[in-house]
Amino acid sequence: RKEVEQDPGPFNVPEGATVAFNCTYSNSASQSFFWYRQDCRKEPKLLMSVYSSGNEDGRFTAQLNRASQYISLLIRDSKLSDSATYLCVVKAFNAGNNRKLIWGLGTSLAVNP
Amino acid sequence: NAGVTQTPKFQVLKTGQSMTLQCAQDMNHEYMSWYRQDPGMGLRLIHYSVGAGITDQGEVPNGYNVSRSTTEDFPLRLLSAAPSQTSVYFCASSYGVPGLSNQPQHFGDGTRLSIL
C-alpha cells in the first residue's frame, strides 16, 4: 500500500459545481498535512495546510479525519481557473524516525464551461 | 520578485554526459531541496540542504551531487547522465525544514531533462 494515495481522476465538473477529493495516508503517526496545486507543466504551489479542526479559505475547505486516516479538499462554486492537479502532502516519519514529506500523485480536476 | 529561479528550463543530454542544474533563491531561505517528478510517482526528494555548507541525501540521491556554498544557490549536478534520469526537476526553498515546520515550500519553474 502506498504511503499516500489519491484518486488520480480526472474529475470533470461543470462551472459552479462542488467537488471533493480525498487523500488517504498509511502512517497513523503522520503529523501535518497540506494541499498543493500544480498547473499543467508548472511547479507545485501551496494551496492550504490542513488543520485538525478543519479549515476554510474562501471556496476551499480542508478537513482531516485521523480515525480513518484521510484528508479531504472541498471546492465550492468551481471556476475554470480551478482546473489543475491537486497534490496531497503528508509529513510522516521514515525508517530512521526522521520527519519527511510524502507527496501523493495528485488528483486531476477539469472544470468545464 | 524572483523567488526561486531554475535554469535551464529544458535540456537534452546524451547518456554519459554531465551537467549542472542551477537553482537560486532570493528569499534568504535556509532550507533548499531538489525533487524529481515522474509519471506515476509523486515528487521524490533527491538532496536537500538546511543551510550553507550543509547537504544531505534524500530519497533518490544516486547519480546526483549537490553543494551549498552560499545561502542563495543550490546546484544539482548529474555526474554521468542515464536515461533513467529523464524527468522534471524542481528546486524548492523554505524558511524552515518542511519536515519540522509548516512553512510552505516555494518551487522553481522546473527543468525538463531528457537523456537520450
Side-chain angles (χ1 to χ4, degrees):
Chain A
R1 181 185 173 189
K2 289 185 179 176
E3 292 180 275
V4 173
E5 290 198 79
Q6 296 183 250
D7 182 341
F11 284 64
N12 285 287
V13 302
E15 268 187 293
T18 296
V19 61
F21 313 132
N22 279 349
C23 167
T24 60
Y25 59 94
S26 60
N27 188 336
S28 59
S30 297
Q31 294 185 324
S32 301
F33 311 88
F34 310 89
W35 284 104
Y36 275 73
R37 170 196 168 123
Q38 186 172 24
D39 292 296
C40 187
R41 300 179 71 80
K42 296 286 190 180
E43 75 277 18
K45 293 183 180 177
L46 180 66
L47 179 65
M48 57 198 305
S49 302
V50 185
Y51 302 123
S52 296
S53 55
N55 47 300
E56 190 174 304
D57 183 2
R59 297 181 293 109
F60 299 84
T61 300
Q63 291 196 316
L64 167 64
N65 185 317
R66 283 196 183 275
S68 300
Q69 294 183 206
Y70 73 86
I71 63 171
S72 63
L73 178 67
L74 180 78
I75 306 175
R76 289 182 300 278
D77 189 24
S78 300
K79 311 290 184 192
L80 295 178
S81 57
D82 294 334
S83 298
T85 297
Y86 291 84
L87 304 172
C88 166
V89 187
V90 175
K91 184 170 77 175
F93 292 91
N94 61 16
N97 208 34
N98 296 313
R99 292 177 184 84
K100 64 173 183 175
L101 292 183
I102 306 168
W103 293 74
L105 299 185
T107 296
S108 175
L109 171 66
V111 180
N112 306 307
Chain B
N1 208 15
V4 180
T5 303
Q6 277 185 245
T7 56
K9 291 196 184 325
F10 303 93
Q11 184 70 50
V12 178
L13 292 177
K14 293 182 180 178
T15 297
Q17 285 185 310
S18 64
M19 80 160 292
T20 300
L21 307 186
Q22 302 291 344
C23 175
Q25 52 91 10
D26 61 358
M27 298 173 282
N28 203 31
H29 286 169
E30 288 296 323
Y31 183 88
M32 295 185 75
S33 56
W34 277 100
Y35 290 91
R36 60 180 288 175
Q37 187 174 35
D38 302 289
M41 306 190 117
L43 280 158
R44 291 183 292 168
L45 185 64
I46 304 171
H47 285 285
Y48 65 95
S49 168
V50 297
I54 306 169
T55 63
D56 209 342
Q57 295 181 347
E59 188 183 349
V60 287
N62 292 341
Y64 308 94
N65 272 356
V66 291
S67 59
R68 185 94 181 270
S69 56
T70 66
T71 299
E72 294 77 22
D73 300 298
F74 190 45
L76 176 74
R77 184 165 181 81
L78 278 70
L79 308 171
S80 176
S84 61
Q85 294 178 304
T86 294
S87 186
V88 180
Y89 292 84
F90 288 103
C91 177
S93 73
S94 59
Y95 277 117
V97 177
L100 294 177
S101 77
N102 291 336
Q103 292 291 329
Q105 293 189 81
H106 299 264
F107 286 81
D109 292 343
T111 296
R112 282 162 177 78
L113 182 63
S114 293
I115 316 295
L116 305 177

